[in-house]
Amino acid sequence: MIKLLPKAAVAAIVLNTKGEVLSVTRRNTDIWCLPEGKVDPGETSIQALVRELAEETDLHFEESDFIPIYSEVVLGKDGNDFYCVTYAYLSTFILDTTPYGWSVEKGIKVNFIPVDELLTGAFSEYNKQALQNFYK
């Protein structure tokens, strides 16, 4: 059996002025995660990151605003391996937490969440490791 190379995925760590992390829920859940997604064919990982952020949060960033900080091969929900690279936003985002956050797509919530809440909640193991690596 031939083992295929892992697909590529990206995630973003964007902090606001309070040090809270830009987070999204997966469709129709209350489980927060980093904005993330797959890299499409013909797209660089940084192009995918900017696209995914716009799709999931309706926030628009420049490719030069990010640096890679963490990567790992993770098992996706579909059973495939993904090589995921997490990028950190180089500045502080001015938008602060809102009581209810906002929605871009039906069933997906967006908000800035305190780091300790993310690390003790249902945040995925990869997301926790990326955040812990960011704060080293």
Side-chain angles (χ1 to χ4, degrees):
M1 183 165 106
I2 297 174
K3 177 122 171 116
L4 299 176
L5 292 173
K7 295 179 180 181
V10 291
I13 295 176
V14 177
L15 302 179
N16 68 7
T17 57
K18 296 178 184 176
E20 297 164 321
V21 180
L22 180 64
S23 303
V24 298
T25 61
R26 290 293 146 222
R27 190 167 273 111
N28 298 316
T29 73
D30 287 325
I31 299 172
W32 293 102
C33 65
L34 296 174
E36 58 193 7
K38 297 175 186 166
V39 178
D40 290 340
E43 192 174 47
T44 67
S45 60
I46 196 72
Q47 288 169 335
L49 181 74
V50 170
R51 175 185 52 77
E52 286 290 344
L53 279 163
E55 288 174 3
E56 293 184 4
T57 69
D58 206 27
L59 300 173
H60 300 275
F61 296 90
E62 297 294 323
E63 292 178 15
S64 59
D65 290 341
F66 293 91
I67 58 167
I69 60 151
Y70 183 74
S71 65
E72 184 178 314
V73 175
V74 294
L75 182 64
K77 291 179 184 174
D78 61 1
N80 291 314
D81 286 339
F82 287 89
Y83 177 69
C84 190
V85 179
T86 299
Y87 290 83
Y89 183 55
L90 291 172
S91 189
T92 301
F93 204 71
I94 296 172
L95 185 65
D96 286 331
T97 302
T98 61
Y100 304 104
W102 66 95
S103 291
V104 176
E105 295 182 30
K106 187 174 182 166
I108 297 176
K109 297 178 219 163
V110 184
N111 210 346
F112 284 90
I113 307 295
V115 173
D116 58 342
E117 186 178 324
L118 295 173
L119 292 175
T120 58
F123 218 41
S124 79
E125 192 58 36
Y126 175 85
N127 284 188
K128 286 179 184 178
Q129 290 174 357
L131 270 179
Q132 289 167 341
N133 187 67
F134 177 72
Y135 283 102
K136 281 185 180 179

